[in-house]
Amino acid sequence: MKTIDASRRLRLPSAPRSIQKGSTLKTLLDEDAIECLAHNIGVVHEAFRKRAFVGSAMKDLKPLSIMERGDHLARMLREHLPARYDQALD
């Protein structure tokens, strides 16, 4: 049986079973989700600069709505992944 290094396992962010009164959906795309995304990309793309991505993605995130956060994360991924689509897929 082959053992898998724990640092190479994909991670999912924690998420509530239901939205609690007074909370918003935008909290689902928070630091935990961003760090999981960076980790998971790093598992399959070793050259991915995880800390740089997380720093860029967290910058000015707090006031953004969930849709704006999605757009922001897409822009940050574009900045931190290879520019050519075929290279990013590799």
Side-chain angles (χ1 to χ4, degrees), residues 11 13 32-42 48 53 73 77:
R11 296 183 356 210
D32 184 37
I34 291 168
E35 287 182 355
C36 285
L37 176 60
H39 168 81
N40 294 344
I41 292 171
F48 184 67
F53 169 75
L73 291 175
L77 285 168

Side-chain angles (χ1 to χ4, degrees), residues 2 4 8 15 21 26 31 45 58 61 70 80-81 86 90:
K2 184 178 179 181
I4 298 173
R8 306 290 299 161
K21 184 177 180 179
K26 74 180 190 176
E31 187 171 8
H45 181 45
M58 290 301 300
L61 185 74
H80 291 273
L81 288 171
D86 60 331
D90 286 342

